[in-house]
Amino acid sequence: MAKLESLGIKGLESVHWYVSDLERSRRFYVNGLDFTERGVSSPELEAKGKQKSAVFQAGQIVLVVSQPVGEGGRAWRYLRKHPDGVGTLNFQVEDIEKAFRLLEERGATFINDIERYTDEKGGKLAQFSITTPFGDTTFRFIQRDGYQPLYPGFVAHPEPRGGTNRYGFSHVDHITTNFQTMKPMLLWMEHVMGFEKFWEVQFHTEDVKAQQKRSHGSGLRSEVMWDPASRVKFANNEPLRPFFKASQVNLFNEDHRGDGVQHLALIVKDILTTVREMRDSKAVNFMPTPGAYYDGLPEHIQKLGIKKIDEDVEVLRDLQVLVDGGGEHSYMLQIFMQDGAGLYKDQKAGPFFYELIQRKGDQGFGFGNFRALFESIERAQQAQGRV
């Protein structure tokens, strides 16, 4: 297929969450992750949209979090079908007319036509939304020309409230999504969005050599799509046979009640300090990593061709931070937070989780750690009697 003309995406502007408990989310982001609360929705917008919202930010990461107020609003409709989750991804574009035209030519399904707004100082904003194969997650495209509010009906706090980003969050590295079958989504990303294949892998938590001797396992097929101009990346997963039903990708879909965003990977400046301070705060939990991973880490680093890392393996073991890479002294450090349902002991909080990454040259996705992550999730599911 010939390369398609770019939509002119500049980047991921914000992520819109729908939650059942806004105050719980406020405590998590402000007290747990030290995000700043920028503002809230106006009374007029809450009445019109039948939901109340707050906006949290750290670095370039902007999260809009909405809770239903009564029935009939977008958040209410989403939460009738799903637990807490990502309902909309908002992308800034260079030219709203061009993005609309290209998407229309490629067969995108529009929720609305271009909407236009002007703020008190004459700044302009234009936006429109489309449906996606990402379950009930929609995409919104936004062009700003001096428009200051985050969105129409947003009321900024006179002074920032809450945290100061002491953990050093920078930006969203990638978005990970789970599907029961991802080929339709990959074709849509390529033919409608104009994204390109970046990376792919498949594996099981245990090598499939003698299936008759195994009673369980968790596997995936993963393919990363990206927009080269903006470097926005989607890591997409589907379950892999022979244990399709036991795959944690399938279990995510059961818990989420459909395809959707599984996690966001957030870049931090110093992951060891971030994890140590977060763990000491006891506000968040991380997925555990077996000690055997660190026993074999020195050999693993050599096999990957990294040869040497700056960090002490015993410090990594203590913090349970993972290492992966693919070149001499080119690697990444990563760790995964516990999902919302596990953190709050509440299935309504959903199976979504966050990943923290510090990149030290490597731009991969931690293939060498995928198995460690899946085995950790699988152990948690086994403890619940689910696999």
Side-chain angles (χ1 to χ4, degrees):
M1 176 180 170
K3 185 173 181 178
L4 296 180
E5 184 177 357
S6 170
L7 294 178
I9 295 173
K10 298 170 68 175
L12 178 68
E13 178 178 282
S14 61
V15 177
H16 197 157
W17 275 85
Y18 299 121
V19 302
S20 57
D21 188 340
L22 179 56
E23 284 305 313
R24 180 168 68 185
S25 295
R26 177 176 277 116
R27 290 192 297 271
F28 175 76
Y29 290 114
V30 173
N31 299 334
L33 301 188
D34 204 46
F35 275 51
T36 297
E37 182 176 325
R38 287 182 52 183
V40 296
S41 49
S42 68
E44 294 78 15
L45 183 61
E46 290 176 7
K48 179 181 178 181
K50 298 182 179 180
Q51 60 192 40
K52 59 181 179 180
S53 307
V55 177
F56 307 99
Q57 181 170 2
Q60 299 175 40
I61 304 163
V62 180
L63 307 174
V64 183
V65 184
S66 297
Q67 175 188 322
V69 177
E71 299 182 353
R74 166 77 165 122
W76 177 80
R77 296 195 304 274
Y78 181 94
L79 293 170
R80 276 196 309 168
K81 299 173 64 176
H82 307 284
D84 295 359
V86 174
T88 304
L89 297 172
N90 299 312
F91 300 96
Q92 272 205 49
V93 294
E94 297 169 350
D95 184 336
I96 200 77
E97 299 278 358
K98 174 185 173 182
F100 189 96
R101 173 179 58 81
L102 290 174
L103 287 167
E104 189 169 40
E105 290 173 356
R106 298 170 189 173
T109 303
F110 290 83
I111 296 173
N112 56 354
D113 289 317
I114 298 174
E115 300 172 337
R116 301 182 185 277
Y117 302 88
T118 303
D119 66 18
E120 295 177 351
K121 297 183 179 180
K124 299 182 183 301
L125 178 143
Q127 63 182 24
F128 66 88
S129 299
I130 63 173
T131 62
T132 76
F134 292 65
D136 290 300
T137 299
T138 60
F139 285 4
R140 176 173 291 170
F141 301 89
I142 301 167
Q143 180 183 345
R144 292 181 180 274
D145 294 297
Y147 190 87
Q148 294 303 312
L150 182 64
Y151 56 81
F154 170 76
V155 180
H157 294 315
E159 296 292 335
R161 298 179 183 178
T164 58
N165 194 22
R166 65 189 176 99
Y167 297 128
F169 289 107
S170 175
H171 61 277
V172 175
D173 183 86
H174 64 269
I175 303 143
T176 296
T177 52
N178 282 356
F179 302 86
Q180 289 214 315
T181 176
M182 69 177 177
K183 190 64 174 180
M185 182 280 306
L186 296 176
L187 291 171
W188 184 86
M189 290 291 284
E190 179 183 7
H191 291 269
V192 177
M193 292 290 292
F195 278 45
E196 301 173 11
K197 182 187 292 188
F198 184 84
W199 180 85
E200 64 180 326
V201 69
Q202 64 180 37
F203 74 95
H204 284 86
T205 49
E206 300 176 34
D207 292 327
V208 180
K209 294 179 179 177
Q211 294 180 15
Q212 67 274 16
K213 295 182 180 179
R214 300 176 59 224
S215 60
H216 68 276
S218 183
L220 66 73
R221 180 180 290 109
S222 183
E223 188 164 321
V224 177
M225 301 292 289
W226 79 319
D227 174 47
S230 65
R231 304 189 68 81
V232 170
K233 298 184 184 73
F234 285 84
N236 312 288
N237 305 321
E238 69 177 6
L240 187 63
R241 69 178 191 277
F243 302 107
F244 181 101
K245 291 185 178 180
S247 167
Q248 69 95 353
V249 175
N250 181 58
L251 292 176
F252 169 91
N253 282 54
E254 291 182 356
D255 290 342
H256 183 258
R257 297 193 284 280
D259 300 338
V261 178
Q262 181 205 41
H263 74 265
L264 297 178
L266 310 180
I267 291 289
V268 294
K269 297 176 182 177
D270 181 352
I271 196 168
L272 300 188
T273 300
T274 294
V275 172
R276 185 180 292 109
E277 292 183 357
M278 280 188 172
R279 193 172 65 175
D280 290 346
S281 75
K282 304 186 186 305
V284 299
N285 297 328
F286 295 99
M287 298 295 292
T289 303
Y293 172 87
Y294 299 97
D295 295 340
L297 187 56
E299 181 181 356
H300 182 60
I301 289 170
Q302 296 305 313
K303 286 183 177 179
L304 290 172
I306 300 171
K307 295 186 178 180
K308 184 180 179 181
I309 61 174
D310 300 327
E311 295 74 20
D312 186 289
V313 171
E314 291 308 309
V315 173
L316 297 176
R317 183 195 300 269
D318 177 58
L319 297 176
Q320 302 202 317
V321 171
L322 307 168
V323 182
D324 198 58
E328 185 171 354
H329 205 65
S330 178
Y331 60 99
M332 60 179 290
L333 302 167
Q334 65 186 151
I335 193 169
F336 302 87
M337 291 186 189
Q338 188 179 22
D339 67 17
L343 178 64
Y344 296 115
K345 305 296 187 293
D346 178 5
Q347 290 302 310
K348 290 183 179 180
F352 178 95
F353 58 90
Y354 284 105
E355 171 186 359
L356 304 183
I357 292 179
Q358 180 183 354
R359 294 198 179 276
K360 307 189 80 170
D362 184 73
Q363 296 302 311
F365 288 80
F367 161 62
N369 296 327
F370 269 38
R371 181 170 290 179
L373 167 64
F374 267 55
E375 288 175 345
S376 181
I377 295 174
E378 187 176 300
R379 284 193 300 274
Q381 291 167 342
Q382 286 173 333
Q384 297 169 10
R386 301 189 60 197
V387 296

